[in-house]
Amino acid sequence: MNKSSDVSVTAVDGCALKVVDADRVAAVRERMPPGDDLADTADVFGLLSDTNRLKLLVALLEGELCVCDLAAVTGQSESAVSHALRLLRAHRIVAARRAGRMAYYRLADPHVRMLLDLALAHTEHTEAIHPERAGDR
């Protein structure tokens, strides 16, 4: 039997957990980002989890658009689009360029585009079961 398989770790809540690969657990814990970074990342995914905000971001994959055009593309009110863009801008997911009284929005950087492209590609080649939606049918 592997010596590391005999190692036990006591969790914060008092439950004893059996660690199968202590070296791997230690390495993963060492690479784990700080709590604040994880919270910021969770916030980004939370923003992406709203269908209406996601529609705006997918529309911006095609390039810069103003609030009016985003509203027309997504079928949302200008007010709803403005509110969503304010949130997305505060989290540096979109950026704005002013031209007189008009503001044109775009994806903030290539990382946002990459996140969207990967998420869309993932959903195109998988069939989700959606157990959380079972009561909606």
Side-chain angles (χ1 to χ4, degrees):
M1 184 184 288
N2 185 340
K3 186 176 181 181
S4 65
S5 67
D6 295 332
V7 177
S8 282
V9 175
T10 301
V12 177
D13 64 2
C15 295
L17 300 174
K18 196 74 162 166
V19 174
V20 175
D21 188 338
D23 294 336
R24 181 167 286 172
V25 168
V28 170
R29 282 184 175 170
E30 190 174 305
R31 285 191 314 272
M32 187 66 64
D36 288 349
D37 290 350
L38 290 172
D40 290 345
T41 303
D43 287 345
V44 169
F45 280 106
L47 289 166
L48 298 177
S49 71
D50 178 82
T51 306
N52 288 326
R53 287 191 295 259
L54 192 55
K55 282 182 190 178
L56 295 172
L57 295 172
V58 170
L60 293 174
L61 284 170
E62 300 300 319
E64 245 181 18
L65 291 167
C66 68
V67 171
C68 299
D69 290 344
L70 283 166
V73 167
T74 63
Q76 300 175 57
S77 70
E78 290 178 28
S79 175
V81 168
S82 291
H83 177 72
L85 290 170
R86 210 170 13 258
L87 280 172
L88 294 167
R89 193 169 171 204
H91 286 83
R92 297 182 320 272
I93 294 174
V94 299
R97 173 183 64 84
R98 289 240 175 248
R101 294 183 53 153
M102 296 293 290
Y104 293 89
Y105 291 86
R106 66 184 181 282
L107 299 177
D109 62 45
H111 297 116
V112 176
R113 173 176 288 281
M114 189 182 312
L115 258 177
L116 293 168
D117 286 341
L118 287 171
L120 292 168
H122 178 72
T123 57
E124 288 171 1
H125 77 82
T126 59
E127 186 175 332
I129 297 169
H130 297 293
E132 71 283 3
R133 295 184 193 168
D136 294 348
R137 294 177 191 186

